[in-house]
Amino acid sequence: MSTARLSDRLAGHQPLVLGLFRIVLGLLFASEGTATLFGVLDREAGPTGDWPFWYAGLIELVCGVLVLLGVATRGAAFLSSGAMAFAYFTEHQKDGLFPLQNGGLAPALFCWGFLLLVFFGPGSLSLSGLLRRGDTTRAAAPGQTR
């Protein structure tokens, strides 16, 4: 099999793989927020309103669920990417330059993963795509009124 044929075959699966990437990234991010806000998954909950950790947990939970579902994906991903960049530079960078030195591997990966979604969108399997598809199907059906 030539490289061009393999590339063409893989390109056909890009929307599905991007959708799966979005779902996993959103689930992981939402679980971080849930752990921070509610003290689950072997983590203690911080005090309500504690800057910046409680607010970061709120962003993680809300934006993680939005990304997971594929609703307002680009906006939620943009906010999430910025929050993770903020976390990296304010909480981790002071302990060393590289993420392996300063414990900032998760924020760095989240930041770049969400930035990818800002530019590429939700892929397939998104709730907004499903609703949009249903909307056009209803609009195109002859003899139906809204």
Side-chain angles (χ1 to χ4, degrees):
M1 181 179 290
S2 71
T3 307
R5 284 183 42 201
L6 178 61
S7 181
D8 290 341
R9 286 184 61 175
L10 292 175
H13 297 291
Q14 282 179 347
L16 177 62
V17 172
L18 183 59
L20 292 172
F21 173 78
R22 174 189 46 79
I23 289 168
V24 169
L25 191 67
L27 179 64
L28 293 173
F29 205 56
S31 68
E32 285 281 340
T34 302
T36 299
L37 293 176
F38 304 113
V40 296
L41 303 172
D42 294 331
R43 188 178 296 166
E44 284 187 38
T48 303
D50 185 32
W51 177 259
F53 303 107
W54 187 85
Y55 293 96
L58 187 63
I59 290 170
E60 290 166 354
L61 178 59
V62 172
C63 289
V65 170
L66 288 173
V67 168
L68 169 68
L69 295 175
V71 177
T73 304
R74 290 178 193 257
F78 182 76
L79 180 59
S80 300
S81 180
M84 290 297 96
F86 177 83
Y88 184 81
F89 288 113
T90 60
E91 295 298 318
H92 297 280
Q93 185 70 44
K94 62 185 176 219
D95 296 329
L97 179 62
F98 295 104
L100 288 176
Q101 290 175 304
N102 62 30
L105 188 59
L109 289 172
F110 275 128
C111 178
W112 287 102
F114 284 120
L115 193 61
L116 184 79
L117 290 179
V118 169
F119 285 93
F120 285 94
S124 64
L125 307 174
S126 70
L127 188 57
S128 62
L130 181 67
L131 294 174
R132 195 170 35 251
R133 196 173 323 125
D135 216 15
T136 58
T137 304
R138 246 186 281 129
Q144 286 187 351
T145 59
R146 289 191 149 194

